[in-house]
Amino acid sequence: MTDVAQLADVSPSTVSLYLRKPEAVSPAASQSIAYAIEKLNYVPNFMAGGLAAASSRAVSILVPSVRNAFFAETVSAMQAALRKERLQVILGHTEYDEREEEDLVRMALSWAPAAIVLTGLSHSAVTRRLLARTSVPVIEIWELGGPQIGAAVGFHHDQVGIAAAEHLFKQGRRNLVFLGARMHEDRRAKMRCDGFVACARAAGVEVEIVEHAAPASVEVGSTLLQETLRLHPQTDGIFCSNDHIALGALFACERLHIAVPKQLAVIGFGDLSFSAACNPPLTTIRPSGDLIGCEAARLIIENLAGNRSQDKLTIDTRFTVLHRRSS
Amino acid sequence: MTDVAQLADVSPSTVSLYLRKPEAVSPAASQSIAYAIEKLNYVPNFMAGGLAAASSRAVSILVPSVRNAFFAETVSAMQAALRKERLQVILGHTEYDEREEEDLVRMALSWAPAAIVLTGLSHSAVTRRLLARTSVPVIEIWELGGPQIGAAVGFHHDQVGIAAAEHLFKQGRRNLVFLGARMHEDRRAKMRCDGFVACARAAGVEVEIVEHAAPASVEVGSTLLQETLRLHPQTDGIFCSNDHIALGALFACERLHIAVPKQLAVIGFGDLSFSAACNPPLTTIRPSGDLIGCEAARLIIENLAGNRSQDKLTIDTRFTVLHRRSS
DNA sequence: GTGAAAGCGCTAACAG
DNA sequence: CTGTTAGCGCTTTCAC
């Protein structure tokens, strides 16, 4: 930076200012600085900058896994939005493990990030303590309806379950089953299940739950459907914890010559890549993973601009019931 | 760190050493330092560390998009492997745009990362120049068979096309079509196509190519299949640029009552979540996205440990033809 | 095995 | 709008 300043015939602080707030530097100085940067192939050092400023232009995002299309979408949307403000994404995978999250938060703090984004509202006590001690803004995504550390951007998963139950009721279904996978890990799937069960119970209907120990997958969906028919042959409506399970169920129905939706109505969650295109097209509930990412990024950017007002803000991104031919 | 040193009654440099090479510090000192760290809730500052050491424990990973399951897998595998060495992942999305990649590389360099991981072998001249000037190790993933900047971990996409053609020949198919989407962007899909066409031509078979301008999706797959039947009704074997396209084709076949594989053999690429579970199970070629991530991480870790030997190393992670019932 | 000294490259008041 | 000044918190020789 000193070299650039020398070549541009200004002081280093003017170069620094130019890099951070170009509009505050005179056009003449700007031009010669730009030339010098180009000429010298100057690459700024973010670590020196971050050290001096006691905070970096990095945002730490911690999700269970980016293999999960939901989080991939959110991470992608967020990175695109943050990129415009020249903010970098530091990614961490918690694998649904609070201890892992704790460790990742510790490392995240070492970068003095502009913000830390966590998935969900349940975190270990240590995580909460670590975060309470810092002034780094925290944003929790993909879940609403519990105690927040900072701002939260997401939706109520129990409401998803309620919407699913109401939808199936409207279709005249009364023998309902919830198909789930590994719900002890995926708390949000559990919440959808709970909302579904509670809503049905309020209408005098007892929901059966058929669960699998393996992580959600298309194959698990097929297995669960077979299991469902074996245990509860009367079933006329199923809500699947996500669209992978639902697709597997549809495939199994096809193989077993079960008419969907005539004999069995199927509703999923996620609106994944195949959901609109399969046979029959899958009725599902679409969570706005993109919107969650965009809104979270917006909060971070506003915060950076000085808007410290939205500390424990809650943004409900809602969800949409997509009624297609599987119900 | 000074506070920790004071409390532990050692010098700051001993604390620093303890944090970086615990085995080089005496057990007695280690113990009191550990106690002091715990007691004071000391959080190291990576930026100060990076500034002083002129390099950070961050790895910059640039992929087209993490929404793409292939790259999500690799990123996930890599982050898991790097995490064990306390290396952080800085993520960037190029969206298949070399200008974007260039800009992301520039920002990546500002972190003085332990390595930069790029997707594919084609990069802008500026990107190459930027990278040539630094001593940051570069690893290119998901493609082999072109000029490398640094090490490369991946496989030959044209060989995938060849394997697909050979497979279809073995099934007695001679009227072959390649179904692709947006191949001007996805160079690697184009390479698979080229390999397929070249192999067929060598056997005296002319392959037709049916392409769509939109990005690959299940719906595009259905559209492409219909288009294929309209333009080339004799077709008895198709190779799809990926499993989303293939799944869409299977769905369309089902709707049109086209017997798969009897009338039409289908082979895809990717072995995605649904590929083994659909009707019929999809014959596909599995690229080892996980392995690519693991091997890339291994290179980075070895490099960090001083193994500078593997500069322009090439690691072929191969691929597997999974013969299932769609062919 | 441990400590003293000298920065790493930049930012942030503040004064002009 | 620009320059001066004083560090930010750590690593790294090099002695001891």
Side-chain angles (χ1 to χ4, degrees):
Chain A
M1 189 179 265
T2 313
D3 296 347
V4 171
Q6 226 149 48
L7 181 56
D9 204 31
V10 293
S11 78
S13 31
T14 304
V15 177
S16 172
L17 190 63
Y18 168 81
L19 252 20
R20 287 170 298 113
K21 282 185 172 184
E23 69 279 7
V25 174
S26 71
S30 293
Q31 205 185 337
S32 54
I33 292 170
Y35 170 78
I37 286 174
E38 174 69 18
K39 175 88 174 179
L40 298 174
N41 288 307
Y42 169 67
V43 175
N45 182 324
F46 288 164
M47 291 186 299
L51 179 60
S55 98
S56 71
R57 291 187 77 77
V59 171
S60 173
I61 304 182
L62 269 34
V63 293
S65 173
V66 88
R67 283 176 206 252
N68 181 318
F70 296 142
F71 304 125
E73 206 177 324
T74 300
V75 167
S76 171
M78 246 172 115
Q79 118 95 30
L82 293 174
R83 206 190 152 337
K84 290 180 192 139
E85 303 292 321
R86 316 230 86 197
L87 286 161
Q88 332 278 307
V89 169
I90 297 180
L91 184 70
H93 294 173
T94 65
E95 306 291 354
Y96 291 102
D97 180 342
E98 290 190 3
R99 297 275 153 267
E100 195 76 2
E101 183 181 68
E102 194 178 299
D103 199 51
L104 288 166
V105 165
R106 220 186 291 274
M107 299 194 74
L109 289 173
S110 287
W111 287 107
I116 293 187
V117 177
L118 302 177
T119 306
L121 297 175
S122 52
H123 314 287
S124 78
V126 177
T127 299
R128 286 173 191 286
R129 193 150 44 75
L130 281 169
L131 258 14
R133 253 201 299 280
T134 69
S135 57
V136 177
V138 175
I139 299 183
E140 290 157 288
I141 57 174
W142 275 93
E143 186 176 334
L144 249 42
Q148 304 171 196
I149 297 179
V153 181
F155 56 93
H156 294 271
H157 287 258
D158 54 348
Q159 288 181 6
V160 170
I162 293 169
E166 284 173 350
H167 176 82
L168 289 173
F169 282 146
K170 228 184 293 170
Q171 311 300 313
R173 312 300 165 135
R174 287 293 176 278
N175 298 299
L176 308 183
V177 174
F178 181 90
L179 307 199
R182 198 171 276 199
M183 287 198 284
H184 53 102
E185 263 194 355
D186 189 346
R187 278 185 70 257
R188 290 173 287 282
K190 182 77 172 65
M191 291 168 75
R192 296 195 287 277
C193 176
D194 290 346
F196 186 67
V197 170
C199 175
R201 187 167 293 160
V205 168
E206 211 51 45
V207 167
E208 301 292 345
I209 298 173
V210 179
E211 200 183 343
H212 201 292
S217 74
V218 181
E219 280 191 280
V220 162
S222 292
T223 309
L224 285 171
L225 184 95
Q226 284 177 281
E227 191 75 350
T228 300
L229 294 177
R230 194 172 62 75
L231 297 172
H232 316 289
Q234 310 304 321
T235 308
D236 61 4
I238 59 172
F239 175 36
C240 302
S241 75
N242 69 45
D243 280 5
H244 282 116
I245 303 278
L247 183 66
L250 287 184
F251 286 147
C253 285
E254 197 179 324
R255 288 190 285 264
L256 300 169
H257 304 294
I258 303 217
V260 174
K262 200 166 174 196
Q263 187 177 343
L264 184 72
V266 178
I267 175 166
F269 172 76
D271 194 31
L272 301 182
S273 59
F274 46 75
S275 305
C278 55
N279 293 329
L282 183 64
T283 292
T284 191
I285 295 179
R286 187 208 329 244
S288 31
D290 266 310
L291 185 57
I292 290 174
C294 291
E295 290 294 303
R298 195 172 56 75
L299 287 187
I300 294 168
I301 291 162
E302 283 178 5
N303 217 314
L304 213 60
N307 249 29
R308 290 232 148 228
S309 59
Q310 359 81 332
D311 246 22
K312 287 233 177 178
L313 201 62
T314 297
I315 297 180
D316 191 342
T317 57
R318 309 275 172 68
F319 51 83
T320 321
V321 177
L322 298 169
H323 188 181
R324 295 199 276 240
R325 293 195 283 108
S326 72
S327 68
Chain B
M1 191 179 263
T2 314
D3 295 348
V4 171
Q6 227 148 47
L7 181 56
D9 205 31
V10 293
S11 79
S13 25
T14 305
V15 177
S16 173
L17 190 62
Y18 169 79
L19 253 19
R20 288 171 297 111
K21 282 187 174 181
E23 70 278 7
V25 175
S26 71
S30 293
Q31 204 185 339
S32 54
I33 292 171
Y35 170 78
I37 285 175
E38 174 69 19
K39 174 89 173 179
L40 298 175
N41 288 307
Y42 169 66
V43 175
N45 183 324
F46 288 165
M47 292 186 300
L51 179 59
S55 98
S56 71
R57 292 188 76 77
V59 171
S60 174
I61 305 182
L62 270 32
V63 294
S65 172
V66 88
R67 282 176 206 255
N68 182 318
F70 297 142
F71 304 125
E73 205 178 326
T74 301
V75 168
S76 172
M78 246 172 114
Q79 118 95 30
L82 293 174
R83 205 189 154 337
K84 291 181 193 138
E85 302 292 320
R86 317 231 83 194
L87 286 161
Q88 331 278 307
V89 169
I90 296 180
L91 184 69
H93 295 173
T94 65
E95 307 290 353
Y96 291 103
D97 179 343
E98 289 189 4
R99 298 274 153 266
E100 195 77 2
E101 183 181 67
E102 193 177 301
D103 200 50
L104 288 166
V105 165
R106 220 186 291 275
M107 299 193 74
L109 289 173
S110 288
W111 288 107
I116 292 187
V117 178
L118 302 177
T119 305
L121 297 175
S122 54
H123 315 286
S124 77
V126 177
T127 299
R128 285 173 192 287
R129 193 149 42 76
L130 281 168
L131 259 15
R133 252 201 300 279
T134 69
S135 57
V136 177
V138 175
I139 299 182
E140 288 157 290
I141 57 174
W142 275 93
E143 186 175 333
L144 248 44
Q148 305 172 194
I149 297 179
V153 181
F155 56 95
H156 293 272
H157 287 258
D158 54 347
Q159 288 181 5
V160 170
I162 293 168
E166 285 173 349
H167 176 81
L168 289 173
F169 281 146
K170 229 183 293 170
Q171 312 300 313
R173 312 299 164 135
R174 287 292 176 277
N175 297 299
L176 307 183
V177 174
F178 180 90
L179 308 199
R182 197 171 277 196
M183 286 196 287
H184 52 103
E185 264 193 351
D186 189 347
R187 279 184 72 257
R188 289 172 288 281
K190 181 77 172 66
M191 290 167 77
R192 296 194 288 275
C193 177
D194 290 347
F196 187 66
V197 170
C199 175
R201 186 168 293 159
V205 169
E206 210 52 46
V207 167
E208 302 291 344
I209 297 173
V210 180
E211 200 184 342
H212 200 291
S217 72
V218 181
E219 280 190 281
V220 162
S222 292
T223 309
L224 285 172
L225 184 95
Q226 285 177 281
E227 192 75 352
T228 300
L229 294 178
R230 194 173 61 77
L231 298 171
H232 315 292
Q234 309 305 321
T235 307
D236 61 4
I238 59 172
F239 175 36
C240 304
S241 75
N242 69 43
D243 280 4
H244 282 116
I245 303 277
L247 182 67
L250 287 184
F251 286 147
C253 286
E254 196 179 325
R255 289 190 285 265
L256 300 169
H257 304 293
I258 305 221
V260 175
K262 200 167 176 196
Q263 188 177 341
L264 184 73
V266 179
I267 175 165
F269 172 76
D271 193 32
L272 301 182
S273 59
F274 46 76
S275 304
C278 56
N279 294 328
L282 183 64
T283 292
T284 191
I285 296 178
R286 186 202 337 238
S288 33
D290 266 310
L291 185 57
I292 291 175
C294 292
E295 289 295 302
R298 195 173 56 75
L299 287 188
I300 294 168
I301 291 163
E302 282 179 4
N303 217 313
L304 213 61
N307 249 30
R308 290 233 149 228
S309 59
Q310 358 82 332
D311 245 20
K312 287 233 177 180
L313 200 61
T314 296
I315 298 180
D316 191 341
T317 57
R318 310 275 173 68
F319 50 83
T320 323
V321 178
L322 299 168
H323 188 181
R324 294 200 276 241
R325 291 195 283 109
S326 72
S327 69

